[in-house]
Amino acid sequence: MTLTVGNQTLSVSSSGSGGAASGVSTSDITTLIKNNTPWQYIETITAENSSTLDLTNSNIANFDNFYIQFDSINLSTNAQTRMRLYLDSALKTDSSYRFTTISGSNTSNTNGGNSGLDSWIYGGQNYTWMRNITGAMYINGKAGSVKVLKSDLSAANSGNSAVRHGVGGTYNSSDSSTITGFNFFTNSGNYSSGQLHLYGMNKHG
C-alpha cells in the first residue's frame, strides 16, 4: 500500500496477510510530514492560576519561525499582558524590546508604541482585558539579532466590552542566539485558565 501526504508518497510493504507493515522508517515518516505540512506541533501549556506561562520545550531550538494559538486564555483581573524571549535558555529582560500597536474597544480605538522596554506588551496597554483572549501570535527569529513579533488577539474586559490588540514588535540586540522559549506574564493578577498551543514552521530547504 502507499502512504500519501500532499504530493509525496511512500510505499509500505506488508509481511503477509494481516502482518505488520515494513519498509518505512520513522525518518521516512518524519520527512514525509515535514515536506508537506507548514507547521509542526511542539507543545501546549495550560493556565491554572499561573503567574507566568512558559513555553520551553527542547524542540523549540530546531525552528526559526513560530505560531502560538491563544485558546480561551483568561486572567484573574483586567491587566496588561506581556511576553519575553528565552535565548539559548536565558530569559532576556534587557531593554531591547520595541513594539507598535493598533488597539481598540467597541467604543474607541488608538495607535501607540514604545521602545527600550524589558518585554513586549502584546495586550492591554491602552485597553486592559481579562476574558477569553483568542487569536494568534507569530515570532520570527531567522534574522539572528533581530527577532520579530506579530500578533492579532481579541478578548473581553471584566465589563464584557470587546477589546482587540494588533501588535508588531522587534527584539533588537547584538545577541544572535537561538530562540529557546517564550515567557508570558501580566502586570497584575495571573493567568487563571486557558491554553497556549505552540507550533514551529517546518523548514523546506
Side-chain angles (χ1 to χ4, degrees):
M1 66 176 181
T2 59
L3 177 63
T4 303
V5 178
N7 59 5
Q8 186 173 352
T9 62
L10 287 176
S11 296
V12 182
S13 61
S14 174
S15 59
S17 178
S22 62
V24 177
S25 67
T26 300
S27 177
D28 291 334
I29 298 297
T30 300
T31 300
L32 178 66
I33 294 172
K34 177 180 176 181
N35 289 344
N36 291 277
T37 57
W39 298 100
Q40 180 176 321
Y41 172 75
I42 299 175
E43 70 170 321
T44 291
I45 188 168
T46 300
E48 297 177 316
N49 297 318
S50 311
S51 58
T52 65
L53 296 175
D54 288 273
L55 296 164
T56 55
N57 186 283
S58 60
N59 197 26
I60 291 172
N62 295 321
F63 298 91
D64 297 322
N65 297 282
F66 304 91
Y67 160 58
I68 301 173
Q69 179 67 43
F70 284 67
D71 184 0
S72 190
I73 291 289
N74 290 282
L75 311 178
S76 61
T77 188
N78 285 330
Q80 287 183 359
T81 49
R82 306 179 181 185
M83 194 263 275
R84 292 171 173 151
L85 298 171
Y86 284 95
L87 300 182
D88 285 351
S89 301
L91 182 61
K92 308 307 290 187
T93 61
D94 57 274
S95 58
S96 297
Y97 295 89
R98 306 173 181 180
F99 72 92
T100 178
T101 180
I102 301 173
S103 57
S105 71
N106 46 276
T107 58
S108 63
N109 60 80
T110 187
N111 299 337
N114 217 323
S115 61
L117 302 180
D118 65 358
S119 59
W120 284 314
I121 302 176
Y122 68 86
Q125 183 188 29
N126 299 301
Y127 303 89
T128 56
W129 53 10
M130 177 179 176
R131 297 176 176 173
N132 198 22
I133 301 172
T134 301
M137 176 182 288
Y138 298 88
I139 300 97
N140 186 316
K142 193 171 185 178
S145 60
V146 180
K147 317 314 190 206
V148 176
L149 162 78
K150 179 184 183 297
S151 70
D152 190 358
L153 300 167
S154 298
N157 62 20
S158 60
N160 290 323
S161 292
V163 180
R164 178 190 175 192
H165 291 285
V167 178
T170 61
Y171 178 83
N172 291 44
S173 170
S174 58
D175 189 344
S176 59
S177 301
T178 300
I179 294 175
T180 54
F182 309 94
N183 168 249
F184 295 84
F185 63 104
T186 70
N187 70 329
S188 180
N190 58 46
Y191 292 92
S192 57
S193 64
Q195 293 183 314
L196 295 175
H197 308 286
L198 174 64
Y199 301 81
M201 178 179 283
N202 286 315
K203 300 176 183 178
H204 301 284

